[in-house]
Amino acid sequence: MKRLSNCVLILLFMVGIEGCVQKEKSVTEHVTGKPNRLIHEKSPYLLQHAYNPVDWYPWGEEAFEKAKKEDKPIFLSVGYSTCHWCHVMEKESFEDSEVAKIMNDHFVSIKVDREERPDVDNIYMSFVMAMSGSGGWPLNVFLTPDRKPFYGGTYFPPVEMWGRPSFKTLLLQIADAWKNQKGSLLESSNSLAEAFKEQSDRSSEKKFTLSEKTLEGGASQFASQYDGSYGGFGPAPKFPRSHTLSFLLRHWKRSGDPRALEMVEKTLQEMAKGGMYDHLGGGFHRYSTDGQWRIPHFEKMLYDQAILSRSYLEAYQVTKKQEYAATARDIFDYVLRDMQSPEGGFYSAEDADSAPDPKHPDEKSEGAFYLWKKEEILKILGEEKGKAFSYRYGIEEEGGVLYEAHPVEDALSEEKKKLFSERTKRLRPHLDDKILVDWNGLMISSLAFGAQVLENPRYEKAAREAADFILEKLIREDGRLLHRYREKEAAILGTLEDYAFFIHGLLDLYEASFEVRYLESAKRLCIQMRDLFWDDKEGGFFLTGDDAEKLLLRPKELYDGAIPSGNSVAVLDLLRLGRFTMERSFEEKAKQLFDTFSAQIAQSPMHFPQLLIALHFALGPSKEIVIAGEKEDPQTQAMLKTIYERFIPNKIVVLHPSGKEGKAIESLVPFVASQDPMDGKTTAYVCENYVCNLPTNDVKVLESLLEK
């Protein structure tokens, strides 16, 4: 991207201009208390800014037309409602009337919720990362009226610090540059947009063969970053990277490499001991600010609970260690208690910040809800129990967050219940109560999987409720999947991630419930996903559908970050549906996707752990398991238990009952039509890579077939 770097030099020079900016004039305080245009939005993040003195616009034509008509640059600010530094910048800058006057006089200001519009966020985050080498939220970008970026960054402080200009100074510099050097800015923005488009459109002509060596390369790269002392990968801050752990478990199963299992277990154990884990209420915070997992960034995101619970369940299947099952149960307890709406869908996140004093609910600080003072613990638990608890959970005189500092024999479960009860009296962090299809898909998948592994029908029920909610409320009359639901409104066209993650959840829910309608919905949505998002020219899936708003670019994401990419999950969906239906077109499309991105994957496999999981499935061996019998029959349940107590990631499981449901599954999965119960008993048919073993109605024989 040589052209891009030249443009960046121009822009960095522009921002460093001094002397051309007039001195700031004092501005009279003028907080009116009147709402701005964001008051009509549904996004909790936009509503948080609805009473800022900034004349905010939501993303849309009204803002773009105003920028063109008044010949003003656009200031685009992207964040989300549980983002700590977004709150900080709002309080420091967007609530400041002097800053607001500068913004209102010289810019058209637009607020975007990145969780509502991941497409907008993706485009401008890519620009900032290419320009500065890093990104994050809040994301703040300056655009021309035709939406082309010319400068951007993340958090800008109210006064100059850490080598960053103050936000006010930056605003005035850019306003002056727009007035006096607009031609250069427009030329640079056009060059940037062209360079980005060229890079986005370009696909590697050279195809690489992806094989077991690719998987080995990924495992080796992860091992090189592994922290042998505390688990995890790389230095602080440490993120869960749960799909990395799930990939390493698959690598262990394929290769027998004990190092892979060691990395997974050490990481899962250290995370569950650390302060990143909520020892009272269950669930994980977003990431650890230190290398020991002790001091978290206190956000709780739905997607982290979904992906982490899956890894703990898989580790339990591999090792049979109850500690992993217990952690997964605690995550599910938290989600079902605090994150599920009465309608069935799951909320998005809980904030890092909360108010320590109920008398001052607007005076918030990070982690206040989760922190404890030693004197509080002694008062609630008594001197003896309180000291024992503080010793176990690392609470010194000055207080802090709970983490397992010292092992003790007593589980202190009653003491934890008392403190949890006391904590419920505190002011809870803000809950982002919008329901997102993509994140719900991940949660549905993990709950359905957990229902089988932990033999808990409660989890299956919750997964059904969420899936049924989406199928009822978030699919338009024409069958198009939508993205967001809040306050009875379903809106925003679904992205690739909505389709891929929800299909993923539906497939797992079918394997838990064996209700054919979930498999039918998965197939229908997968066909629609292929039709709407596939790039016929270069291959792979676009983030947005061909019916979506035409933006500066049409991004195509592969990198597996905090959540896996849509392409990585979509290719696994295609592979699984190909095995379910025996329709070759699904697997052919999966092969095309691997070919499209083969150069990127071969060069740096560690950046694509979820895609490596899909590659592991594609390379096989995989098992196609049919249980011919009635779901509630004890023999059927015994066989399902035998399957799910084992770690068999590369499999599909089909139930072939009698009657109407049996005919329905035969229409979707034709190969089961001839697979009936033998001698009137539930019978298992186990095939591997299209070769079938003799059927059996003996659970012990099934065990041996699964161990092959």
Side-chain angles (χ1 to χ4, degrees):
M1 197 182 282
K2 292 181 180 177
R3 296 183 62 185
L4 218 102
S5 58
N6 292 334
C7 299
V8 169
L9 289 174
I10 295 171
L11 297 173
L12 291 175
F13 174 75
M14 179 275 290
V15 173
I17 293 173
E18 293 185 358
C20 62
V21 181
Q22 296 180 353
K23 275 193 170 182
E24 299 176 26
K25 297 177 181 178
S26 61
V27 181
T28 306
E29 196 81 4
H30 66 289
V31 177
T32 65
K34 293 180 181 179
N36 55 49
R37 290 169 181 80
L38 301 184
I39 197 66
H40 303 296
E41 297 299 304
K42 292 292 186 184
S43 159
Y45 177 62
L46 300 188
L47 290 170
Q48 284 172 349
H49 292 77
Y51 284 88
N52 293 168
V54 178
D55 186 16
W56 289 115
Y57 283 75
W59 180 271
E61 286 302 320
E62 185 183 4
F64 308 140
E65 288 302 318
K66 179 181 172 69
K68 291 174 184 174
K69 183 178 179 181
E70 299 182 7
D71 191 24
K72 288 181 178 179
I74 292 169
F75 172 69
L76 172 66
S77 183
V78 184
Y80 56 103
S81 78
T82 59
C83 164
H84 172 70
W85 285 101
C86 299
H87 301 329
V88 171
M89 192 165 177
E90 179 189 16
K91 186 167 286 292
E92 291 174 344
S93 296
F94 303 145
E95 292 180 357
D96 185 296
S97 57
E98 291 190 11
V99 173
K101 186 173 190 312
I102 297 169
M103 293 173 69
N104 296 341
D105 287 348
H106 299 289
F107 301 90
V108 173
S109 299
I110 297 177
K111 260 289 171 197
V112 166
D113 182 340
R114 66 168 285 257
E115 294 168 357
E116 281 199 338
R117 293 300 303 264
D119 50 347
V120 173
D121 175 62
N122 180 287
I123 290 169
Y124 296 106
M125 181 65 76
S126 298
F127 160 74
V128 168
M129 291 187 72
M131 195 184 83
S132 65
S134 63
W137 299 276
L139 175 69
N140 296 299
V141 192
F142 294 89
L143 319 176
T144 64
D146 58 357
R147 291 173 268 183
K148 294 174 182 174
F150 61 86
Y151 185 73
T154 53
Y155 167 76
F156 292 110
V159 294
E160 186 175 340
M161 60 174 64
W162 310 319
R164 301 185 186 195
S166 76
F167 186 53
K168 280 196 289 189
T169 298
L170 179 63
L171 289 170
L172 290 168
Q173 286 178 338
I174 290 181
D176 182 86
W178 184 261
K179 180 180 178 181
N180 297 306
Q181 302 176 46
K182 185 166 65 174
S184 296
L185 290 184
L186 292 175
E187 184 180 346
S188 296
S189 70
N190 288 331
S191 297
L192 278 167
E194 186 181 338
F196 265 101
K197 190 172 189 312
E198 284 179 6
Q199 188 188 47
S200 177
D201 291 344
R202 192 185 309 121
S203 180
S204 174
E205 293 181 5
K206 187 175 181 182
K207 306 301 179 189
F208 288 76
T209 300
L210 302 178
S211 65
E212 288 196 19
K213 288 186 177 180
T214 312
L215 303 177
E216 291 167 3
S220 178
Q221 288 180 348
F222 288 125
S224 70
Q225 290 199 349
Y226 174 65
D227 179 351
S229 298
Y230 296 100
F233 304 90
K238 277 187 175 173
F239 290 81
R241 299 179 69 170
S242 186
H243 26 306
T244 295
L245 303 179
S246 288
F247 161 68
L248 287 171
L249 285 175
R250 285 156 177 78
H251 177 66
W252 164 81
K253 185 173 181 67
R254 177 180 292 273
S255 67
D257 179 5
R259 175 75 166 155
L261 183 57
E262 176 193 325
M263 288 190 284
V264 172
E265 287 209 74
K266 179 69 172 176
T267 302
L268 291 176
Q269 289 167 4
E270 293 295 327
M271 282 197 299
K273 288 195 300 186
M276 204 181 87
Y277 181 63
D278 182 355
H279 291 273
L280 299 183
F284 281 86
H285 298 294
R286 181 68 201 92
Y287 62 85
S288 177
T289 61
D290 66 316
Q292 293 78 45
W293 306 104
R294 289 182 186 172
I295 305 170
H297 179 47
F298 286 92
E299 288 171 273
K300 277 183 169 181
M301 312 300 292
L302 179 66
Y303 58 75
D304 281 324
Q305 316 314 318
I307 304 172
L308 276 162
S309 58
R310 182 93 186 201
S311 291
Y312 278 97
L313 289 168
E314 290 179 343
Y316 170 61
Q317 285 181 313
V318 169
T319 67
K320 304 298 186 286
K321 292 180 181 177
Q322 288 297 325
E323 63 190 275
Y324 301 137
T327 302
R329 289 189 187 98
D330 285 349
I331 294 172
F332 290 152
D333 284 347
Y334 160 66
V335 170
L336 299 185
R337 182 186 66 239
D338 295 335
M339 298 292 281
Q340 190 169 26
S341 76
E343 294 176 278
F346 296 104
Y347 300 133
S348 295
E350 286 194 295
D351 207 340
D353 298 358
S354 55
D357 185 352
K359 296 178 182 178
H360 303 283
D362 294 330
E363 296 179 11
K364 298 181 179 182
S365 60
E366 184 174 2
F369 183 74
Y370 302 99
L371 300 175
W372 292 91
K373 294 178 181 176
K374 190 170 184 178
E375 62 189 50
E376 285 182 281
I377 294 174
L378 297 179
K379 182 179 179 181
I380 296 163
L381 301 181
E383 192 79 13
E384 182 180 348
K385 294 280 190 181
K387 284 183 177 178
F389 189 92
S390 298
Y391 175 78
R392 167 77 188 274
Y393 287 103
I395 300 298
E396 305 291 343
E397 294 301 325
E398 65 274 14
V401 63
L402 303 181
Y403 71 96
E404 290 186 18
H406 303 97
V408 296
E409 290 185 13
D410 187 351
L412 300 172
S413 56
E414 289 303 313
E415 289 74 14
K416 288 168 73 173
K417 287 178 183 177
K418 284 185 180 180
L419 289 178
F420 175 77
S421 178
E422 190 68 25
R423 196 177 76 175
T424 61
K425 301 173 186 176
R426 297 177 176 180
L427 290 179
R428 287 194 69 87
H430 157 72
L431 173 70
D432 187 325
D433 62 354
K434 67 178 179 292
I435 295 169
L436 301 175
V437 169
D438 49 354
W439 299 2
N440 271 254
L442 294 174
M443 198 69 239
I444 290 165
S445 167
S446 293
L447 282 165
F449 182 60
Q452 294 289 60
V453 174
L454 301 176
E455 299 180 89
N456 191 325
R458 179 186 176 216
Y459 304 150
E460 181 191 322
K461 179 176 180 288
R464 283 170 179 261
E465 289 171 348
D468 290 346
F469 169 79
I470 292 170
L471 290 169
E472 180 184 347
K473 301 289 188 182
L474 279 136
I475 293 183
R476 286 191 324 205
E477 289 184 4
D478 63 355
R480 182 62 158 92
L481 187 63
L482 300 175
H483 174 58
R484 185 267 293 147
Y485 180 92
R486 186 170 185 269
E487 294 183 342
K488 308 295 182 184
E489 180 191 88
I492 308 172
L493 289 179
T495 65
L496 172 64
E497 291 172 355
D498 292 303
Y499 277 83
F501 295 2
F502 187 45
I503 292 165
H504 177 60
L506 288 171
L507 293 175
D508 283 324
L509 183 53
Y510 166 73
E511 290 187 325
S513 68
F514 296 111
E515 283 199 33
V516 180
R517 63 192 180 97
Y518 295 125
L519 188 56
E520 288 172 339
S521 295
K523 180 181 176 181
R524 181 183 65 79
L525 289 170
C526 194
I527 292 169
Q528 194 179 106
M529 176 178 74
R530 181 191 63 198
D531 294 343
L532 284 170
F533 298 92
W534 185 257
D535 181 354
D536 290 320
K537 182 181 177 183
E538 300 289 349
F541 289 105
F542 290 112
L543 177 60
T544 55
D546 58 20
D547 58 346
E549 176 188 354
K550 299 301 182 280
L551 300 173
L552 191 64
L553 302 171
R554 195 176 177 195
K556 195 188 292 179
E557 185 63 67
L558 187 67
Y559 174 71
D560 295 320
I563 59 175
S565 74
N567 272 290
S568 293
V569 177
V571 72
L572 185 57
D573 292 341
L574 290 166
L575 291 166
R576 293 174 73 190
L577 274 166
R579 298 300 165 89
F580 272 115
T581 65
M582 291 298 164
E583 292 184 25
R584 289 286 185 183
S585 61
F586 289 121
E587 294 203 50
E588 287 168 0
K589 194 64 72 177
K591 185 181 185 306
Q592 291 174 35
L593 190 146
F594 282 125
D595 286 344
T596 298
F597 298 115
S598 61
Q600 293 167 253
I601 301 165
Q603 182 179 10
S604 186
M606 69 173 294
H607 289 125
F608 317 109
Q610 180 65 40
L611 195 130
L612 295 181
I613 289 172
L615 180 60
H616 184 273
F617 190 108
L619 293 173
S622 63
K623 297 183 187 297
E624 296 83 43
I625 305 168
V626 177
I627 306 296
E630 308 306 315
K631 183 183 178 184
E632 302 306 325
D633 186 281
Q635 180 81 347
T636 302
Q637 291 300 311
M639 287 187 166
L640 291 173
K641 183 178 187 297
T642 298
I643 294 167
Y644 279 96
E645 66 187 9
R646 288 166 170 75
F647 181 59
I648 313 171
N650 295 351
K651 70 178 185 307
I652 62 159
V653 183
V654 179
L655 182 71
H656 186 205
S658 60
K660 186 178 178 181
E661 280 288 291
K663 293 298 181 186
I665 195 65
E666 288 171 18
S667 68
L668 270 179
V669 186
F671 69 86
V672 306
S674 61
Q675 296 175 329
D676 296 315
M678 295 191 311
D679 303 323
K681 298 178 182 178
T682 296
T683 303
Y685 295 79
V686 180
C687 303
E688 186 170 304
N689 290 349
Y690 310 108
V691 178
C692 294
N693 295 281
L694 291 173
T696 181
N697 46 31
D698 186 325
V699 173
K700 292 293 183 185
V701 175
L702 174 60
E703 288 177 2
S704 66
L705 293 174
L706 296 176
E707 294 293 342
K708 277 188 178 180

